[in-house]
Amino acid sequence: MGGTEQKYVQEAFDTNWVAPLGPNVNGFEQDLASYVEEDSKVACLASGTSALHLALILAGVKLNDTVICQSMTFSASANPITYQGAEPIFVDSEKETWNLCPNHLEKAIKAGIANNKKPKAIIIVHLYGMPAKMDEIVAIANKYEIALIEDAAEALGSTYKGQKCGTFCDYGVLSFNGNKIITTSGGGALVCKTEETKQKTIFLATQARDNAPHYQHSEIGYNYRMSNIVAGIGRGQMEVLDKHIGLRRANNQFYKELFKDVDGIEVFVEPTKDYFSNHWLSCITVDEKKTGFSRENIRLKLLEDNIETRPLWKPMHLQPVFKDCAYFGDSVAEDLFKNGLCLPSGSNLTDEDRDRIKTSFLKMITK
Ligand SMILES: *Cc1c(COP(=O)(O)O)cnc(C)c1O
């Protein structure tokens, strides 16, 4: 927490605005819009997952439709596809950004069209804060006229060619879950292009109530709106967002320094100047043939010193729950899962913490 969160929460109590509307929700939406893109319209919701679900509904995804989704991601990117009774088609990543591979994306679309089933939407992710290859992906989505949904849950503050992640498509998803770059304890938002889409989002998120004095419903609704208390935490967090990005990027710099002379360990960094990552998490890949130890050896060694690291996301096409879904790609995502590791990356890492990590790792390579 940054310090001013309680002030906004206190205001909500003082003015008795504790419901899922009120000045903090409007204020947080305004703060987010100003931050990502002045002309965007932001709707605050209960979670990033609910934002993804509503984006799919707005994109017209229905029973038995297919939706293309980046395989290398957290399950929350893919789960809402099944909430709609639609079927995910998973696509591999490319090696530079670890995100959706434009070549395999086009193959998946062509295969769907040949099968008389054009995919209804595409979900792309900016993994660990790294922007995806948006020029190529947007061009493909436009060429085939398929709705694009941007899962920017991990990438608030990241930019591609100077443009903020979450603003490239019709629907941009943000998350303020406990582990993200800023948190409201739990929450999310949908970044929309028009006021009309924002109002439709809020309508669906508040039980789809028709404009009538009594309770009347012509559509199925959801209870997905953010509360005014939670939004108060968000307003305070906005004041420390850029500071958090600076701290996460400093962590990445520390790991680059630590591993620069270790043959076989690559720190995940921006491929060119077009990309600016918030480095939500810092990650490495380990080439066991060169290092003589695997990512699992590193994980277990650091764990002995009570330092937690984790394997990268296990790709969705390898998950038991999605085993029957179609997959287009090679083994990029699979190899990342096999050889990749997320390192301690919190905004609150101290110099002392970094020293511990360094000592623990050096012990391992000099044994
Ligand atoms: C965290 C996350 C989500 C889900 O956000 P919640 O707010 O936890 O529902 C979706 N996609 C990705 C890639 C995430 O990391």
Side-chain angles (χ1 to χ4, degrees), residues 252-311:
N252 192 262
Q253 197 55 41
F254 160 73
Y255 289 118
K256 264 185 5 203
E257 206 49 43
L258 177 61
F259 296 117
K260 74 175 188 304
D261 296 324
V262 185
D263 191 30
I265 293 187
E266 299 264 4
V267 179
F268 184 39
V269 295
E270 292 113 333
T272 71
K273 288 255 179 311
D274 286 342
Y275 299 81
F276 176 88
S277 171
N278 66 13
H279 287 306
W280 171 60
L281 297 188
S282 281
C283 310
I284 51 170
T285 51
V286 183
D287 183 346
E288 194 175 349
K289 283 196 213 82
K290 289 184 184 160
T291 54
F293 49 80
S294 65
R295 73 110 155 97
E296 196 54 11
N297 295 138
I298 301 179
R299 191 181 74 79
L300 293 172
K301 200 73 194 171
L302 294 190
L303 198 58
E304 281 175 19
D305 290 331
N306 200 23
I307 297 167
E308 187 188 29
T309 62
R310 282 191 204 164

Side-chain angles (χ1 to χ4, degrees), residues 47-49 52 73-74 76-77 125 151 153-154 175-177 180 187 313:
S47 64
T49 309
L52 273 155
T73 187
F74 176 49
S77 306
V125 188
D151 181 349
E154 302 177 359
S175 167
F176 317 110
N177 197 20
K180 298 293 173 5
W313 299 126

Side-chain angles (χ1 to χ4, degrees), residues 39-51:
D39 289 337
S40 65
K41 310 289 170 195
V42 177
C44 280
L45 300 167
S47 64
T49 309
S50 54

